[in-house]
Amino acid sequence: MRNLSIIVFILALLNTLESLSIDLYLPAFPSMARIFQTDIGHIQISISIFFAGFATGQLLWGPLSDKKGRKPMLYCGLILFILGAVAIIFTKNIYVLWTMRFLQAFGGSAGIVIGRAIVIDLYDKEKAVTIFSKQSQISGIAPIVAPLLGSVFLRFWGWNSAFTFLSILGAITLLLVVRFVPETNSRITSPESITDETKLKHQLKAIISNRDFISNTIIGSIAFSSLIIYISNAPLLFMEIHGFSSEVFSIIFAFNSMALIFAAYITPKLVLRMQDTKILLSAALLLFSMSFLHIIVAMNHLPVGLEIAVLYLSLVAIGLLFPITTAHALSPFKEGRGTAAALMGFMQLMVTFLMSALVGFLESKSIMPMVITRVLLALVAVYFAYGTFSRKKIMA
């Protein structure tokens, strides 16, 4: 087996491409609106289109990686990601921007879904939690540095320099995959291929009917939705409502993002001392309690420091949920792990798209739509986490 640290780093880099593709060009929105001769709303649509491309792409890459192998599909996905980023550099047409953002996301989604499948190919459930946590520690740096890095790119090299950086990073990642990532899908050499449509349908049925997969995918989808809802509303909360400058906002955003790295660091240590389903339930309860406390803070206009602390702890809970739900959702399957990872990713992004769209529709210069939606989502997470905890406790 090749060096584990290198493989974990590369898989984390594949995750980082997604975060950077979302956050890196946010400071350039006003500049892009002028250059593309449109309003900021049309530039913001490129984020929604990115999520749509990411969701649909995962439905393709997962089954294909089960059928054709992990590495060939990673090659194809990264090449599409790079082509999409390069095309954006040279365009000033809003419709071309939208199309290339979809292509970029469609290709980039291969790294997320296949990366998960590779981890489950190589390790058992307990070790997979540790690996996913290490990936989160590395990729969690992206939300911290992306807004600051994007501002530097905009100031010195213009709006399209962010996409130049993404294309270069994508090319470096592709070279690292070629050199260091092994082919982990041993079943592609078997004469009994899953190209058989009946077998694929059987795998899909087995995945969808698995209670662990459904419960953990729902919890993971809620955690991801809660994170994205926070990220998309953070500028409104801290800059418009509280009146902080963009520099102070970047510091607050970076501080809260460190909660994800902290959570990823402590998760493997907690798994050694506690039952993972107990950690799952505790994290869901922490997310609910902090989200509910945020309502009280917002309604009573309590100090902003308390609001930052509440958000930080809610992000710690989200960071705890990510690796555990991923490992639990995918571990039950000996075959079709790429397909299972694809379905999981698709559900996460679709739930995120629907919930963020709902918050955007309700938006009225108030933070209440965000906090109420996060409370309701967390309540659903507690319900499914308790069900998982109870079921495993009875089985034990």
Side-chain angles (χ1 to χ4, degrees):
M1 179 56 61
R2 304 195 184 190
N3 190 291
L4 173 61
S5 298
I6 294 177
I7 296 174
V8 172
F9 173 78
I10 295 171
L11 296 180
L13 196 56
L14 291 168
N15 287 330
T16 301
L17 288 176
E18 177 196 14
S19 299
L20 289 176
S21 296
I22 296 170
D23 299 333
L24 194 61
Y25 77 129
L26 294 178
F29 273 22
S31 177
M32 291 177 68
R34 292 191 297 270
I35 292 172
F36 283 81
Q37 297 182 342
T38 186
D39 53 52
I40 291 181
H42 281 77
I43 305 298
Q44 289 174 328
I45 289 175
S46 66
I47 293 182
S48 299
I49 291 175
F50 186 89
F51 277 120
F54 227 88
T56 54
Q58 292 192 58
L59 291 179
L60 173 72
W61 299 120
L64 280 181
S65 74
D66 285 337
K67 187 186 305 182
K68 303 293 185 180
R70 311 295 186 213
K71 289 191 71 171
M73 294 303 102
L74 275 177
Y75 298 161
C76 293
L78 284 169
I79 290 171
L80 289 178
F81 176 88
I82 295 166
L83 290 175
V86 170
I88 291 172
I89 296 171
F90 300 102
T91 187
K92 294 182 181 179
N93 183 288
I94 188 64
Y95 300 108
V96 175
L97 173 67
W98 291 350
T99 303
M100 292 302 102
R101 283 292 281 171
F102 184 92
L103 179 66
Q104 186 187 20
F106 190 88
S109 64
I112 301 292
V113 65
I114 297 175
R116 290 170 179 165
I118 289 174
V119 172
I120 299 301
D121 285 340
L122 294 174
Y123 305 104
D124 59 25
K125 183 170 64 177
E126 288 72 22
K127 184 64 175 177
V129 171
T130 301
I131 299 301
F132 285 132
S133 296
K134 288 181 178 179
Q135 287 184 33
S136 296
Q137 290 180 53
I138 299 171
S139 59
I141 298 172
I144 297 175
V145 303
L148 298 174
L149 193 60
S151 297
V152 172
F153 285 160
L154 177 64
R155 179 177 180 182
F156 291 100
W157 299 291
W159 70 271
N160 50 6
S161 60
F163 294 95
T164 302
F165 177 80
L166 287 172
S167 62
I168 294 172
L169 187 60
I172 293 172
T173 305
L174 176 60
L175 293 175
L176 290 174
V177 168
V178 173
R179 177 66 179 83
F180 294 106
V181 177
E183 176 55 66
T184 61
N185 185 3
S186 59
R187 289 171 295 280
I188 60 173
T189 60
S190 172
E192 192 175 331
S193 173
I194 67 163
T195 52
D196 179 26
E197 185 177 342
T198 302
K199 187 174 182 179
L200 180 57
K201 289 181 179 179
H202 177 75
Q203 286 182 348
L204 287 171
K205 184 178 179 180
I207 292 168
I208 295 173
S209 61
N210 186 282
R211 292 181 67 181
D212 281 341
F213 174 81
I214 294 298
S215 296
N216 284 280
T217 296
I218 290 174
I219 298 169
S221 299
I222 286 171
F224 189 71
S225 297
S226 186
L227 174 64
I228 296 302
I229 289 171
Y230 155 72
I231 290 174
S232 59
N233 285 270
L236 168 68
L237 173 61
F238 293 115
M239 288 194 286
E240 294 195 27
I241 294 179
H242 290 301
F244 291 123
S245 66
S246 59
E247 290 79 10
V248 175
F249 164 73
S250 297
I251 295 172
I252 295 172
F253 191 85
F255 171 76
N256 279 343
S257 297
M258 291 176 66
L260 299 173
I261 298 178
F262 171 73
Y265 173 75
I266 65 172
T267 299
K269 303 180 185 302
L270 290 175
V271 169
L272 294 176
R273 293 170 173 80
M274 296 173 60
Q275 185 182 12
D276 48 6
T277 52
K278 189 173 183 179
I279 301 173
L280 186 72
L281 178 59
S282 300
L285 287 169
L286 177 62
L287 179 59
F288 173 74
S289 59
M290 290 302 102
S291 300
F292 185 79
L293 184 58
H294 195 182
I295 291 183
I296 298 175
V297 172
M299 290 181 65
N300 293 279
H301 306 288
L302 297 179
V304 67
L306 180 59
E307 192 164 28
I308 293 172
V310 165
L311 284 167
Y312 182 93
L313 291 174
S314 75
L315 294 179
V316 170
I318 290 171
L320 290 170
L321 290 172
F322 279 153
I324 295 176
T325 54
T326 302
H328 276 236
L330 303 182
S331 293
F333 309 107
K334 293 182 179 180
E335 293 187 352
R337 286 168 177 165
T339 302
L343 289 175
M344 182 182 187
F346 179 79
M347 182 177 288
Q348 284 182 345
L349 290 168
M350 283 297 100
V351 171
T352 299
F353 172 75
L354 292 173
M355 292 299 101
S356 60
L358 174 64
V359 173
F361 177 77
L362 297 174
E363 189 59 73
S364 56
K365 299 299 180 181
S366 169
I367 205 62
M368 292 311 295
M370 176 191 105
V371 295
I372 292 174
T373 301
R374 293 184 86 224
V375 167
L376 295 176
L377 287 171
L379 185 60
V380 177
V382 170
Y383 172 80
F384 282 97
Y386 180 76
T388 300
F389 173 75
S390 301
R391 188 165 62 253
K392 295 298 182 181
K393 191 174 182 180
I394 292 173
M395 291 174 62

